[in-house]
Amino acid sequence: MQKPERRRGAAALPMLLLLCLAWLLPGLAAAAPRIGVLTMEPGEVFWERFGHNAIVVDDPAGPGPLSYNFGFFDLDEPGFHWNFVRGRMNYRLEVLSLSQDLYGYERAGRGVVVQWLDLSPEQATALAAALAVHARPENARYTYDYYTANCSTKVRDALDEALDGALKAQLSGRSQGNTFRSESLRLAAPAPWMAVGFHVGLAGYADRPLSRWEESFIPMRLRDALREVKLADGRPLVAREESVLPHRIGQPPAEAPRLRGQAFLAGLALAGLVLWAGRRAPRALAVGALAFWTVAGLAGLTLAFLWLGTAHVAAHGNENLLLLSPLCLALLPGAWARLRRREPGRGFRPLLWLVAGGAAVAGFMKFLPFLPQQNVEWVLLLLPLHWALLRTFDPKR
């Protein structure tokens, strides 16, 4: 009688193991993914100057870690270049394997770090599901803006939604004094032509101090901010930070360059050169005036177009229009007449005074505290030049 009892006990053991596995397997199958934030350092091509980032979803049940990358656009899209000019660019979210996404950055020598986040299983699962829905073709596209809707702000907003607004709550009330202009000039400094374009083209919109939340439009700023964010129980949001690729190229400066002294000296030098040429080399002065008024007038037309014809909000209401006036183009016939040793037409002198007066108004506006545009360098450079041209071409007045 004992043998049958032992057989029944032996048969019960596999059944018990099967029941345990049946209870454990659903939990294993539903294990939450790991969530990381991938941050790529700035590159050397102009569209890489601001760095980049993406969200990594490493699902144990998946084929491997995936990179949710909000930085894709299509140059072959109909009307892309015209939409780019008008500030109506369409970007999209793409999903790539992590190794595929990293390939280009490794070749370019751009450093990459990943910050693995200490999210709860429910938060991680919800974020992965939301990203998967966002990546569907019908949902993947969005209207891009350099400062308020780019690859980094999309990453930031997705994390904030997963944290029920805790990220924005911790970052909104704090500021380091950075502005859209200072960050743009700092990151564009290795490409001077790009930095000059930003400095001339940005209006007062770009000069208010940003909160840590707003300055997270820069991927590296978001990376730094995540290091300081705490969860509800006081634990850091970033559980671990790993270097994925080393950075092998130059870094942008820590601060935007300060050029007021250089601009002031250059403005005085140009004004002195104009006054000297007016007495000693009038034809050479006429050639110089033709070149300056052409460049200034075309720059003014561009600034006016950015304000009146595009969605580039950061360029609207630009005070540099007073220093780089489209009216400069109307002065070209007068400079051409002087080059040919003739007197300009009757409308030349009033236009000359109007252009110089506009530059003087731009200088006066620097004393008004409610106008925040930081264009002092351009005032110091161009106001003396406008005054010297006025003094030389209309000495009697």
Side-chain angles (χ1 to χ4, degrees), residues 9-38:
L13 183 59
M15 183 63 68
L16 181 61
L17 291 174
L18 287 174
L19 289 173
C20 290
L21 286 174
W23 179 73
L24 289 173
L25 282 174
L28 292 174
R34 283 198 308 167
I35 302 295
V37 176
L38 206 64

Side-chain angles (χ1 to χ4, degrees), residues 34-40 53-59 63-69 94-106 112-116 242-245:
R34 283 198 308 167
I35 302 295
V37 176
L38 206 64
T39 304
M40 300 78 158
N53 57 8
I55 297 178
V56 178
V57 176
D58 187 6
D59 191 338
L66 299 177
S67 176
Y68 285 80
N69 191 321
E94 287 280 345
V95 186
L96 305 90
S97 69
L98 182 58
S99 59
Q100 181 184 3
D101 201 10
L102 292 174
Y103 176 73
Y105 301 101
E106 184 176 15
V112 179
V113 299
V114 61
Q115 295 169 300
W116 294 109
E242 300 174 3
S243 176
V244 180
L245 294 174

